[in-house]
Structure formats: C-alpha cells, structure tokens
C-alpha cells in the first residue's frame, strides 16, 4: 500500500448492526464527482484508508464520517484505482456500473484530465494598482473537459478575479488560457475617540 501512496488504518464500524451505509464521492473527482448511494454491506466491514502520497487522491468515502474506502493513484506513470469494497455493496445497478466504467476510463486515460500550474506569478504590483497574468488549463485526457465555472476561493476574492474564460470546453489534448487579475488594496482603519 505504501507504493500506492496509502495506508490501511482499521475497519470502519459504520453499518456494523444493520449493514446499511451511504457512500459518496468527492467534488470535482473525475471518477466519483456527484456519486452518493445507499449501500448494503456484504459479509465484511469497510476498511478505512489514509492517503499518504502526493499523487494519490481519495475518491470514495462514508457519508458523514469522511472515512476513505477507495483511492486513485498515479505510480510511475501508471494509473491505479483501489476499492476497499466490493462494488456489489452498491445495490443500484446503474450507479454501480457507471462508477466502474468511470474508474476504468480514468485508469485507461480515456476521460478528461485537468492539469494546471499550482502557483501563478504576477508582475510587481504597487498598492492601488492591478496586474494580470495568464493561467493555462490543460486537458491531458482523451475526451472533452467541460468547465462550467472558474472562481476564486472566497477568502481571496477581494484580491484576485477571473476576468476571462469562466465557461468553456477543452478537447482532449487541448488547452485553454484564462486571465486572472491581482488587485493590491490597502485598507486604512482610523479609530477616533
């Protein structure tokens, strides 16, 4: 498991009495985004995994407990998905089949895959002025990547703003540039009294 960037912690006792659990995916994950299903345990408890590698990501968890039961990982340019459950605990056949298909597509590199810089540099900016820079978003997957909105995290929305390219489709192997603005404001608080 260490090679895959994960550790086994212990069994999760969620569903111990009646076998009923709810599993859900992670927002923006290419495999499990939007997944949420009531499930029925089959014979065993689910494991609790811990993500330890920088190229390993949790993809499936227990709802309300955040106990990770499945991960996806990239090891030496190979894609791997590890489920700590049998897919048959997902009693809704179409949801189960869809989840398995998405996992296979991701492993095969068939679906979209978003990549972009984790750090964006701006020119030196004086107080009260703005500067802009370009962020390139790449789709290294084989199918279209549909982006419906690009936004700045709330804590930084008073400093940064996306000024172009908030909704677009990037074909497989393509890229899209978006413009980001940085506004260096200075707040002056004067207390009288």
């Amino acid at each position: 498991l260490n090679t895959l960037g994960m550790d086994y912690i212990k069994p999760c006792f969620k569903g111990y009495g009646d076998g009923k659990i709810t599993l859900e995916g992670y927002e923006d994950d290419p495999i499990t985004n939007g997944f949420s299903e009531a499930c029925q345990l089959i014979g065993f408890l689910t494991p609790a995994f811990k993500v330890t590698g920088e190229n390993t990501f949790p993809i499936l968890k227990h709802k309300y407990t955040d106990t990770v039961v499945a991960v996806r990982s990239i090891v030496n340019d190979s894609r791997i998905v590890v489920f700590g459950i049998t897919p048959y605990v997902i009693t809704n056949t179409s949801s189960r089949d869809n989840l398995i298909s998405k996992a296979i597509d991701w492993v095969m590199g068939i679906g979209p895959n978003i990549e972009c810089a984790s750090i964006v540099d701006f020119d030196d900016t004086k107080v009260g002025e703005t500067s802009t820079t370009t962020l390139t978003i790449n789709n290294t997957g084989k199918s279209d990547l549909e982006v419906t909105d690009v936004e700045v995290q709330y804590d930084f929305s008073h400093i940064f703003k996306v000024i172009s390219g908030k909704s677009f489709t990037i074909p497989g192997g393509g890229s899209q540039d978006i413009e980001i603005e940085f506004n260096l404001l200075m707040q002056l608080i004067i207390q009288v009294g």
Side-chain angles (χ1 to χ4, degrees):
L1 292 179
N2 287 335
T3 302
L4 301 177
M6 59 188 284
D7 283 333
Y8 169 79
I9 301 172
K10 62 180 180 179
C12 175
F13 286 92
K14 195 83 167 155
Y16 177 74
D18 60 5
K20 296 187 184 313
I21 59 172
T22 300
L23 297 177
E24 67 179 7
Y26 284 81
E27 187 176 347
D28 299 326
D29 183 77
I31 300 171
T32 63
N33 183 37
F35 180 88
S36 182
E37 285 293 330
C39 302
Q40 182 67 46
L41 292 177
I42 304 172
F44 300 98
L45 297 171
T46 61
F49 294 131
K50 177 181 177 184
V51 171
T52 59
E54 67 180 49
N55 291 321
T56 302
F57 307 93
I59 63 169
L60 201 59
K61 64 183 177 179
H62 280 278
K63 190 171 187 173
Y64 307 120
T65 62
D66 203 27
T67 301
V68 177
V69 299
V71 302
R72 63 182 171 88
S73 183
I74 300 175
V75 179
N76 298 327
D77 295 327
S78 295
R79 294 177 173 213
I80 302 157
V81 175
V82 178
F83 285 96
I85 58 163
T86 173
Y88 289 108
V89 302
I90 304 167
T91 55
N92 181 314
T93 305
S94 63
S95 291
R96 178 177 63 230
D97 292 348
N98 189 39
L99 180 68
I100 293 168
S101 292
K102 285 183 175 181
I104 291 170
D105 286 350
W106 184 82
V107 167
M108 300 301 292
I110 294 172
N113 186 50
I114 187 169
E115 288 185 5
C116 62
S118 58
I119 297 174
V120 178
D121 290 323
F122 290 87
D123 291 335
D124 289 341
T125 308
K126 295 180 181 178
V127 174
E129 294 184 356
T130 61
S131 61
T132 60
T133 194
T134 301
L135 172 66
T136 301
I137 299 174
N138 299 301
N139 177 6
T140 59
K142 295 183 179 177
S143 61
D144 290 352
L145 171 66
E146 293 184 32
V147 177
T148 56
D149 190 24
V150 178
E151 61 183 44
V152 176
Q153 184 178 352
Y154 177 77
D155 293 346
F156 303 100
S157 60
H158 65 289
I159 302 171
F160 298 100
K161 179 176 22 172
V162 178
I163 56 176
S164 70
K166 290 188 173 190
S167 176
F168 47 85
T169 300
I170 306 173
S175 63
Q176 174 76 34
D177 290 340
I178 61 172
E179 294 295 317
I180 302 172
E181 180 181 86
F182 171 62
N183 187 354
L184 185 57
L185 303 173
M186 176 181 241
Q187 293 183 341
L188 180 61
I189 300 173
I190 300 174
Q191 183 174 357
V192 179

